[in-house]
Amino acid sequence: MPEFSHLNQAGEAHMVDVTEKPLVMRIARAQASVRMKPATLDAIVDGAIGKGDVLAVARIAGIQAAKRTAELIPLCHPLPLSHVSIEFSQSDDVTLQISTECRVTGATGVEMEALTAASIAALTIYDMCKSADRGMRIETISLLHKSGGKSGVWESSDKL
C-alpha cells in the first residue's frame, strides 16, 4: 500500500509539515479540454457569446482559482504564486483545449494550483456557454509537468 503524506501515524488527515524543506523554484503545467458543438466553439472564438468574452473571463477565473487553491482544497498550503498563465487552443472543430502553468519559489509544489486553474477555466467556459450548448463535456483534466523539489522533473505522456 502506498504511503500517503496527508495521513499521520494514526491514519488521520493532516497538513504536511514543510517547515524544513528548502525554498526552490517549482513549476507545474496542467490541461483540460471542453468538447462542444462546432457552432458553440465558433461563437466562442468569434466573440459572439452573449455573456461576453468567454476566453478572457475563463482566463481570469482560472488565475483567481489558482491563487485561492488552498481555500478550496483543505490540506493544500497557501502559496505565494509568482506566475500563472492560461492559454486556449483548438485541436479540432469541437474541442477547446486549456493549458495552464503555475510557478512559485517555495517549499511545496504547485500541481494543485495548475490543476485548479484548468478546472475552473473549463467550468467558467461551461457556465458562459451553457445556454447555447448544455451538452458540453469537460474532459481530460490532468497534470502535464512538474519540476522542482526532491522528486525532480515529471512529464506526462498524455498531452492533448
Side-chain angles (χ1 to χ4, degrees):
M1 181 166 161
E3 181 181 320
F4 293 105
S5 61
H6 286 85
L7 298 178
N8 66 15
Q9 298 284 355
E12 302 162 332
H14 76 107
M15 187 178 214
V16 174
D17 184 355
V18 297
T19 305
E20 300 299 321
K21 292 177 76 175
L23 301 180
V24 298
M25 168 71 122
R26 297 166 185 270
I27 300 171
R29 294 185 193 98
Q31 68 181 359
S33 63
V34 185
R35 292 181 55 84
M36 62 195 75
K37 296 176 186 174
T40 306
L41 185 52
D42 289 344
I44 290 170
V45 171
D46 295 342
I49 298 292
K51 288 187 176 181
D53 187 336
V54 173
L55 301 181
V57 174
R59 180 175 284 116
I60 291 168
I63 292 168
Q64 283 182 303
K67 292 172 15 178
R68 299 184 77 171
T69 298
E71 294 174 37
L72 299 168
I73 300 175
L75 300 177
C76 282
H77 293 84
L79 298 177
L81 296 173
S82 56
H83 172 78
V84 179
S85 67
I86 300 177
E87 302 300 326
F88 304 98
S89 60
Q90 63 182 98
S91 58
D92 56 40
D93 65 341
V94 297
T95 307
L96 183 63
Q97 296 177 186
I98 303 162
S99 301
T100 66
E101 180 177 282
C102 293
R103 295 184 198 166
V104 69
T105 299
T108 189
V110 290
E111 299 94 271
M112 295 311 301
E113 287 72 12
L115 287 161
T116 299
S119 300
I120 296 302
L123 287 168
T124 300
I125 291 164
Y126 184 94
D127 180 56
M128 292 189 72
C129 301
K130 67 184 179 244
S131 64
D133 187 354
R134 292 208 187 271
M136 288 180 289
R137 292 191 322 251
I138 297 169
E139 302 176 340
T140 320
I141 298 169
S142 61
L143 185 67
L144 296 175
H145 167 93
K146 74 160 283 308
S147 60
K150 70 179 182 180
S151 61
V153 176
W154 178 86
E155 293 280 341
S156 172
S157 60
D158 182 35
K159 295 185 181 178
L160 293 175

